[in-house]
Structure formats: C-alpha cells, structure tokens
Amino acid sequence: MKKLIVFIVVINFPIFFATYVFAAKVNVVHGWPAQQGEAFEKIVKVYMGKHPEIEVIVEVVGRDRPAYLATRLAAGNPPDLTPHPWLGLQAEWAKTNQIVCFEGLIDPSGILDALKPLGYVNGKLFGLFVFPSIKSLVWYNKRKFERRGYRPPRSWDAMLTLSNKIVVDGGTPWTIGLESGAASGWPGTDWIEDIMLRSAGPQIYDQWVNHQIPWTHPAVQRAFEYFGQIVLNPTYVLGGPTGALTTNFGDSPSALFTQPPRAFMHRQATFIQGFIRKQNPGLVAGKDYDIFPFPPIDQSAAQRVPILVGGDVVNCFTRRPEVIEFAKFLISKEAQEIWVKELGELPSNKNTNPALFTNPITRKAWHILSNATISRYDASDTMPGAVGTGSFWSGVLDFVSGIPLKRVLETIEDSAKDAYSSK
Amino acid sequence: MLHTKRWIPWLFVGPALILILFFLTYPTLMTIVRSFYGKGTQIFASTLDFVGLANWEFVFNSPAMLAALRNNALWTVVFTLCTVTFGLLLAVLLDRVRYEKIVKSIIFIPAAISMVGASVIWKFVFAYRPVNLSQIGVLNALMVAFGREPVGWLIERPWVNNLALIVVGIWIWTGFCMVIFSAAYKNIPRDLIEAARTDGANEWHIFWGVILPLMTKTIAVVATTMIVQVLKIFDIVFVMTNGAYDTEVIANRMYKEMFNFFNYGRASAIAVVLLLLITPIMIFNIRRFTRQEAR
C-alpha cells in the first residue's frame, strides 16, 4: 500500500508539474457576481475537459475593473481575455491597437443579428457579444391587469392612457427606483435611452452617443420631456419623484406584488426577474407577472420596435491560438447553452435550442431578442465615463428632483465637451 | 559628555527618512507634476499631453468643483463648531453626572464604528418611503407621527441634505472630542474652581473665566484635528449620496475623477488642492506642539 502511494506520488507529481508548467494558459478577468461567476466556471470546466492541454485561469475583479485593466495594460501585462460591458472602452482599445482584431480569425455568424454589430469598431470585428440582457421591457402584475381589464399598451400614448385609467381607478401606475448607492441614476438613464431610441430613432441615438449632437439638442430634450411625463407626475409614480429618487432599483418591483398592489408597471431589464423571484418566491412567471415590450413612441421614426440591450463583449488582448480558441468556444452554442441552463438567462448564439427556455418570460424575451433587427447598446456604458457614469447619472437625478431641464442638459453638455476631447 | 561620530544620528534617522522620501515625498512631487498633464491612467507615459493649468482651471472654475469647495467650506464651519462645542459641553456637564462613565462610553461608541458603517446606519435613519406607506426611517416615522409629511432628507438641496450628512459626521466625532476635553478638564486643579466659587463667581462665570481659558490649548488641538478630518471628508458622502443633489465634496470628486473617469490629471490637481488646504493647519499644529514641548 505504502509502495503504491509512493509510486503514485513519484510518477504523478512530475506529470502534474509538467502539465502545470507546460500547459497553455489563458488568463481571463471577469467581474460577474457569484451566480453568474459559477455559471462561467462551469463553461470553463467543460472547455478544459475537452482541451486538457489548456488551462484557463479565471480572475474575478468585481470593483473598479476598468481601472484594474488600465493598470495592467499600462504595465504591459494585460490578461489574455476579458468579457466586459463597456463598449466605449472597446472602441478606445481597438483604436489604439490594444485588442486583437478578429477578422479572419473568428467567424461571428453564430451571434444574433441584433448583437453581432456591437463587436465592430470602424467596420472591423473586435468583440464577441456574450450573455445579453434586454432592457426595453415593462414588467407588470398579470393577474391584477386581467382582473381590472387592463391591456399591455402598444404605443406610448396608449401607455399614458392606461396610466390615467389606473389613476382614475385609484391606483398608482408606476414604480420606479433610481437609487443604486454610488451608481444612483442609472435606471433613469436606461429610460432616457429607450425613449431616445423610439422618439428620435437609431441614427440620432448614435449621434447622441458619439456626441455629434449636443445634449441641448431638441431630440435629447424631447426624450427627457417624455420621461418627465411619467416620472415627474406625482400621481403616476409611487411616492412621486421623491419616491423614485429614494427607492432602490432592486426593491422597486416588489410594489407590484403587494396586496393590494401599490403599483402596476415597472420598466427594467431581464435581470430584474431574479430580484422578483427572490422577493416573491411563490410567483409563477407568465401567470402572476409578465412582460410587454417598451412601446414605440414615434411610429414614423421606427416602424419596428428597436430594442435596447446590455451584456458583455469578449475582447482579447493577446492572439495566442489557445486564447482565440477559448474566445471561439465562448460564443459557441454549447457554451451559451450552459449559461441558459445554469441561470435561465439569455444566450447570444442564434442556434440555441429554444426548448431550454423553461421560463415563459425568458422564452418571450428570447423571441423579442432573436427577432429584433434594430438594437442599440446601453448609451451610458458607451459614453466616456465622465458623462456615462458621471454627469448623465447625476443629470437624471437632478432632472427628477426638479432642476429645470435646460440647466440639467447644459450641465451635462459642459462635462461632455471636455470628456469627448482627447486632452 | 558622550562623543558620537557625525554619521551615527543619520544611521538612526536614515531608514525612516528613506521610507518617507520614497512613500511620501516622491509621490507628492509626482502628483504635483501629474496635475499639469492630461487625462488617462498613465503616471509617467510619454504619450501624455502637457495641458498647463487646464486641470487647475477645472479645480477653481468648474461648477462641479465650485460646489465641492463650497460644501467643504460648509462642512468645515458647521462640523468643527458643532463637534468642538458639543464635545466641550458634554465633557464639562457630564463631570457632574453620577453615571458619567457609562454615559460617556455610550457617546464615544460612534467613534468606534467605521465611517462606512455609520453612513449605512444613518441611511436607514434618513430613509424615505412614500406618504401612505409605513416609514422605516426613524426621522420620517417621527415626522409622520407628528402629522407632517415625510421628507427626502438626502435629496432636498441645498441645506437639508448637506446638513443631514454633516450631522452624521458630528455624531461620529463628538465622542472623540468629548473624551479629550474631559481629560483636560479633569486636569484643571479643583482648588482654582473652588477659589472662584468662594469669591462669589457663579457657574457661568467659572466656565467662561476659569475653565475656558485653561482649556484653550486643548481646544486648539481638537479644533485643528477636526478641521483636518473634515477637509478630507469622503466616506459619508460617498456612501450616502455620492455627491448627487449638490452634496459633492473635494475628496469624493477626486475619487470620481480618478477611478470612474480615469482623469488622473484632474484627480492629481484636486489632491494637491486638498494638500494645500491641510498644510497650514498641520504647520499650525506642529508649531504649537513644538512650542509646548520647548517649555
């Protein structure tokens, strides 16, 4: 017995050591919290099972990841691969040749049509979209809607009509939560982006994101005014504007499911389902609560409903074959289906087996996503940080707290002017 | 007389000197240099643009920084006055209370709580829920109990929210001031106070004529310590509002420019301003200290 152990150690240790030293390593940095992180680990495990010669080393950097990546880039020691949600950073890295151009290396045709373009910078493929979420959704209490005879509205005006009806019936139509600690304001930027996409159209949306039109432009102003029609109306929003400012984004949807419901509608991305299920474990998706797409505003500007998406793009900092191989695997049907199975969230691969969506709401979201032709990415994550995570966030909070719109937009424009300049 | 070679003292001072040069002087100089260069996360890259005084113009001319400077001024005045006054009053008054130790311990507890922890606690105190719902925040529960409408304490600008934040700072630091004052107060010879009493002075006169003059040095030390603390105030604002609704302060803006906006140039300029604001107070403190030691 003793001999056997000695034998195992003597023989195996060098093999283990050799595989450790000589294995091709792929250093991945991501920032997903526990649940998503575990799902990603599972993808990594499956991959390493298929490629024992490759070792994927995963590092989790949950806070200040852009600063962390910038430091490693500056030190000439970047990770091999990172999935991240900052398209603005992707563009910057692509322009300064810090990330690998995938042209001729990776075929992105498996990625959904709505998401594929988000990996391109100046017409070239630099990023691969993985793990999307849809933002343009309104969540509602289906049972109460049915009991009261309310119907999901199909236009902005119909949505306001419905809101009025709910008020007349003695209810509060909306619950909005803009509070999110140091990131407060972002849920409001999503509202503005969704509205902008519908009231001004995707072209002007792009010009706005790239600061080719100023913040004081009538199109931007109109988007804020549309948002104001709802959020500044004290009878529309639970607690009025102050309620919206002080309610945490995660707690906000729970108002839909109180007895009687304190509010009837809530605009938020697909991820909020996790919060809803956690706070109200008894609810059945598709029966107790459901979603409808955020409705179109200007029918002429957008014949089809454009969708606003979030999620991550995979960028590679090194072009070693094992790194490219792993990147390819991440967008494959197999890897994306693991994500669906583990989390019940949306994949980016168009060939994903629809039978995997056991949750009717995820199925519906998948239907919206896979049929979308016009999509745009979260504007605040694309703009330079001083605007996207600075003056835009605080601007939304200022607007909702009653500062005149003109002043709000001028303040954001001031910060944008120097944030978009190179110096 | 013990003769030592000239280099012997350097041998002892040397290590500390090297550490200070490397970890304090050098970064300080680099920060000053960096404040004249453009945005980006590099510290000394040749790719950086020299921008002259542009970052400094931002510090003294942008609405965001002017708001921060104004709020820091408000913090400095209100916070320092309140912590020193309350600390002094508590020290003198609690001396006459039977359960002095227990009461003082309770008042001192906040000083042992981390700033972030205290901020989270106070976020609950200030919590706002819509009018018809039950209030979970103590303050708004009281407002409603007295038939008033709940108040968005952290949102109503410019006074309510800034003062609400300052109250948190005062809550944390008053206990500290009280402890130092209490020690100084107990050092005042009792017969002095007794003598004043015999001469017919009332308590009010004793406080202004005997106690206060004897405690001026301690008051100066405590007040300058509080000013240094409050100039670099960060945690409370970061946790509770992150500078939204015109509650920005200098240090929070520095953090944002550095870690959110990657503008190391501006962050450096702001850091230098903070340093320049704190330096005179430090010099004052050190001067006083050396004078005291010399005696």
Side-chain angles (χ1 to χ4, degrees):
Chain A
M1 187 62 199
K2 214 175 181 181
K3 260 185 193 163
L4 187 68
I5 292 172
V6 169
F7 175 76
I8 289 170
V9 169
V10 167
I11 297 298
N12 276 338
F13 185 74
I15 294 174
F16 175 76
F17 186 73
T19 43
Y20 182 77
V21 171
F22 297 114
K25 291 195 191 90
V26 179
N27 176 212
V28 178
V29 170
H30 73 73
W32 285 305
Q35 233 189 340
Q36 278 105 324
E38 278 164 30
F40 186 74
E41 289 288 346
K42 198 145 277 173
I43 294 174
V44 167
K45 208 182 262 169
V46 169
Y47 181 72
M48 295 208 310
K50 293 170 86 179
H51 301 269
E53 76 284 2
I54 297 178
E55 193 190 0
V56 179
I57 301 163
V58 177
E59 249 178 275
V60 187
V61 181
R63 269 192 71 110
D64 291 327
R65 194 147 42 105
Y68 171 82
L69 291 170
T71 312
R72 280 189 64 173
L73 272 168
N77 174 36
D80 294 311
L81 180 152
T82 189
H84 66 88
W86 303 289
L87 289 199
L89 271 183
Q90 172 180 260
E92 205 180 303
W93 288 336
K95 279 171 200 153
T96 49
N97 289 322
Q98 301 195 80
I99 48 174
V100 176
C101 174
F102 294 133
E103 293 292 334
L105 284 173
I106 294 179
D107 171 23
S109 58
I111 301 177
L112 285 167
D113 297 337
L115 305 174
K116 201 163 55 189
L118 301 170
Y120 284 81
V121 181
N122 293 333
K124 285 190 174 146
L125 182 68
F126 283 92
L128 307 166
F129 210 95
V130 290
F131 319 136
S133 64
I134 308 181
K135 298 196 174 229
S136 316
L137 300 176
V138 179
W139 301 76
Y140 66 100
N141 183 327
K142 197 173 185 186
R143 278 187 204 282
K144 294 286 182 237
F145 253 60
E146 279 168 358
R147 192 164 305 161
R148 294 196 176 198
Y150 302 151
R151 296 235 159 149
R154 290 169 172 265
S155 73
W156 179 267
D157 291 337
M159 198 157 81
L160 292 189
T161 312
L162 173 62
S163 301
N164 282 330
K165 193 162 187 280
I166 294 173
V167 173
V168 170
D169 293 349
T172 305
W174 293 93
T175 170
I176 299 177
L178 302 179
E179 200 274 341
S180 178
S184 291
W186 71 260
T189 66
D190 281 7
W191 269 89
I192 302 283
E193 290 158 13
D194 250 337
I195 292 170
M196 191 78 189
L197 207 47
R198 286 160 176 72
S199 64
Q203 277 77 35
I204 293 184
Y205 183 90
D206 291 342
Q207 291 172 7
W208 170 60
V209 171
N210 298 318
H211 202 233
Q212 286 152 346
I213 56 168
W215 281 81
T216 45
H217 190 277
V220 186
Q221 200 179 323
R222 211 164 50 234
F224 272 83
E225 280 162 2
Y226 272 117
F227 181 39
Q229 287 178 3
I230 289 177
V231 75
L232 295 182
N233 186 335
T235 62
Y236 274 10
V237 183
L238 187 61
T242 310
L245 291 171
T246 49
T247 305
N248 181 267
F249 75 95
D251 298 338
S252 187
S254 61
L256 299 177
F257 306 108
T258 51
Q259 287 292 353
R262 290 180 190 138
F264 286 83
M265 293 181 277
H266 180 65
R267 197 223 71 100
Q268 191 50 280
T270 32
F271 79 85
I272 201 72
Q273 189 170 198
F275 285 77
I276 293 176
R277 296 172 76 95
K278 203 168 194 180
Q279 288 158 359
N280 312 277
L283 296 186
V284 181
K287 287 219 171 75
D288 293 314
Y289 65 98
D290 208 341
I291 50 171
F292 64 83
F294 198 71
I297 295 176
D298 186 350
Q299 297 287 359
S300 61
Q303 281 301 313
R304 304 194 57 159
V305 182
I307 60 164
L308 185 69
V309 296
D312 293 73
V313 280
V314 169
N315 288 150
C316 291
F317 293 101
T318 57
R319 60 183 322 135
R320 293 199 315 277
E322 62 269 21
V323 177
I324 302 297
E325 278 308 308
F326 184 62
K328 268 187 201 162
F329 181 71
L330 285 180
I331 57 168
S332 70
K333 179 168 177 278
E334 190 181 0
Q336 292 291 313
E337 283 184 348
I338 297 174
W339 192 259
V340 178
K341 270 184 259 174
E342 291 295 312
L343 300 167
E345 286 186 20
L346 294 170
S348 67
N349 190 297
K350 58 168 77 158
N351 303 316
T352 305
N353 179 5
L356 290 174
F357 300 113
T358 48
N359 179 323
I361 288 187
T362 316
R363 208 179 307 139
K364 203 183 245 183
W366 170 250
H367 184 75
I368 297 173
L369 181 67
S370 52
N371 287 313
T373 45
I374 317 169
S375 78
R376 283 300 180 273
Y377 195 74
D378 187 325
S380 57
D381 281 338
T382 319
M383 296 169 174
V387 179
T389 66
S391 55
F392 192 6
W393 284 354
S394 58
V396 163
L397 298 177
D398 284 346
F399 174 65
V400 178
S401 73
I403 302 289
L405 179 54
K406 191 163 171 285
R407 214 169 92 209
V408 170
L409 294 178
E410 279 166 1
T411 309
I412 306 180
E413 175 60 17
D414 270 349
S415 77
K417 261 184 204 142
D418 67 43
Y420 282 85
S421 80
S422 61
K423 281 183 185 176
Chain B
M1 182 81 184
L2 185 70
H3 284 274
T4 52
K5 296 214 169 63
R6 270 228 170 137
W7 53 269
I8 294 286
W10 289 106
L11 192 69
F12 285 91
V13 182
L17 214 57
I18 288 168
L19 286 177
I20 284 177
L21 276 176
F22 190 75
F23 286 111
L24 209 65
T25 316
Y26 171 68
T28 307
L29 293 176
M30 284 310 296
T31 308
I32 294 172
V33 172
R34 188 64 182 81
S35 73
F36 295 102
Y37 287 84
K39 59 175 78 160
T41 51
Q42 307 94 318
I43 293 167
F44 22 41
S46 49
T47 52
L48 286 171
D49 293 308
F50 182 78
V51 295
L53 292 172
N55 293 327
W56 290 88
E57 202 200 316
F58 171 82
V59 170
F60 292 112
N61 219 358
S62 68
M65 269 309 287
L66 288 180
L69 290 167
R70 193 195 61 214
N71 287 335
N72 258 66
L74 181 72
W75 268 89
T76 311
V77 173
V78 178
F79 173 90
T80 313
L81 272 180
C82 290
T83 45
V84 172
T85 314
F86 294 155
L88 189 58
L89 282 179
L90 285 169
V92 175
L93 293 179
L94 288 180
D95 192 61
R96 298 140 197 245
V97 171
R98 191 141 157 237
Y99 302 104
E100 188 192 350
K101 274 190 183 147
I102 298 169
V103 179
K104 265 166 53 183
S105 308
I106 292 171
I107 296 173
F108 187 70
I109 283 175
I113 302 176
S114 77
M115 298 277 257
V116 173
S119 307
V120 172
I121 293 170
W122 278 84
K123 232 180 150 174
F124 283 115
V125 173
F126 292 135
Y128 171 94
R129 308 263 323 261
V131 183
N132 298 321
L133 307 184
S134 61
Q135 297 294 330
I136 56 165
V138 175
L139 270 183
N140 276 329
L142 285 173
M143 293 295 284
V144 172
F146 286 105
R148 308 278 298 275
E149 294 232 319
V151 176
W153 298 101
L154 297 175
I155 286 164
E156 301 238 338
R157 64 182 101 196
W159 299 107
V160 175
N161 55 5
N162 276 306
L163 290 176
L165 295 176
I166 294 172
V167 163
V168 182
I170 295 170
W171 180 77
I172 296 173
W173 283 100
T174 298
F176 172 83
C177 297
M178 174 198 69
V179 168
I180 310 278
F181 283 136
S182 185
Y185 178 68
K186 293 198 189 305
N187 267 338
I188 297 175
R190 292 296 112 166
D191 28 344
L192 265 180
I193 296 173
E194 284 307 311
R197 264 196 204 118
T198 339
D199 288 347
N202 62 26
E203 295 304 311
W204 188 247
H205 286 137
I206 293 173
F207 179 76
W208 287 103
V210 180
I211 297 174
L212 212 57
L214 285 172
M215 285 178 70
T216 43
K217 276 181 205 153
T218 320
I219 292 173
V221 170
V222 172
T224 45
T225 314
M226 286 304 107
I227 293 174
V228 171
Q229 289 300 334
V230 74
L231 280 175
K232 53 184 191 181
I233 190 77
F234 168 76
D235 325 47
I236 296 173
V237 176
F238 179 72
V239 173
M240 296 182 73
T241 64
N242 196 24
Y245 320 111
D246 290 334
T247 57
E248 191 71 292
V249 289
I250 299 173
N252 195 53
R253 187 72 201 182
M254 178 177 76
Y255 179 91
K256 273 188 193 164
E257 291 291 345
M258 186 142 181
F259 294 110
N260 298 344
F261 309 160
F262 307 123
N263 196 332
Y264 279 24
R266 276 184 188 170
S268 301
I270 300 172
V272 176
V273 168
L274 258 187
L275 180 73
L276 291 178
L277 284 174
I278 292 174
T279 310
I281 299 149
M282 297 300 282
I283 292 176
F284 173 80
N285 241 0
I286 293 169
R287 277 234 188 105
R288 263 194 32 75
F289 184 72
T290 40
R291 229 183 301 146
Q292 208 167 325
E293 291 292 290
R295 250 183 245 148

